[in-house]
Amino acid sequence: MALLNNDKDVLPLSSISELLNAKIRTLKMYEDKKLFPLKNNKLKKLYSINDIKIIAFVHYLANIKKINANGISYILTMIENNMDEKNRNDFLDMIENKLENISQSDIQDLESF
């Protein structure tokens, strides 16, 4: 059995929207604002498992924490420039664990607020 390559680009945005219970249009908006990982300074059409962690973090910051695109861009830049790969991955894993504990009803309550 081969090991999984979490950096291989395999998932389209439509599949990610299903995984995150997010509207595809919302994710496209984040993509248009260049809040998602780029490949050779171009928007990607397929995303890796590691990219999904960033996308989930962006979605969390925008939907739950209500941070605007400029703020999210600043946070992502700070993470990219000030954390080595191991610390960045540990941080994103910690965020992923916290996101798993947010129930769907909590998200709907926040969206209706």
Side-chain angles (χ1 to χ4, degrees):
M1 183 169 115
L3 295 175
L4 293 176
N5 180 356
N6 288 342
D7 291 319
K8 185 168 178 69
D9 298 332
V10 293
L11 289 171
L13 205 55
S14 58
S15 295
I16 297 170
S17 73
E18 288 183 40
L19 289 171
L20 297 178
N21 291 323
K23 295 178 183 171
I24 186 98
R25 185 65 215 132
T26 302
L27 297 182
K28 285 237 180 242
M29 180 185 65
Y30 303 151
E31 184 181 57
D32 292 343
K33 293 181 186 235
K34 296 185 169 88
L35 298 176
F36 287 179
L38 301 175
K39 188 173 199 171
N40 299 326
N41 291 327
K42 294 182 182 176
L43 290 175
K44 294 173 141 186
K45 294 301 174 188
L46 295 175
Y47 294 91
S48 69
I49 299 299
N50 288 334
D51 292 337
I52 292 172
K53 291 178 182 181
I54 299 282
I55 293 168
F57 184 52
V58 166
H59 186 61
Y60 166 77
L61 291 174
N63 265 1
I64 305 299
K65 293 299 186 179
K66 303 296 184 197
I67 298 173
N68 66 22
N70 289 334
I72 293 170
S73 180
Y74 180 77
I75 290 168
L76 293 175
T77 300
M78 294 296 292
I79 290 170
E80 186 67 32
N81 292 337
N82 295 310
M83 288 185 172
D84 62 20
E85 186 175 349
K86 182 194 178 316
N87 285 328
R88 185 171 42 251
N89 288 336
D90 290 346
F91 174 74
L92 291 173
D93 287 341
M94 181 183 69
I95 295 296
E96 183 179 11
N97 289 334
K98 287 188 180 281
L99 291 177
E100 287 174 358
N101 293 328
I102 297 174
S103 72
Q104 189 60 31
S105 62
D106 291 338
I107 293 171
Q108 289 173 347
D109 289 343
L110 285 169
E111 288 175 349
S112 65
F113 181 70

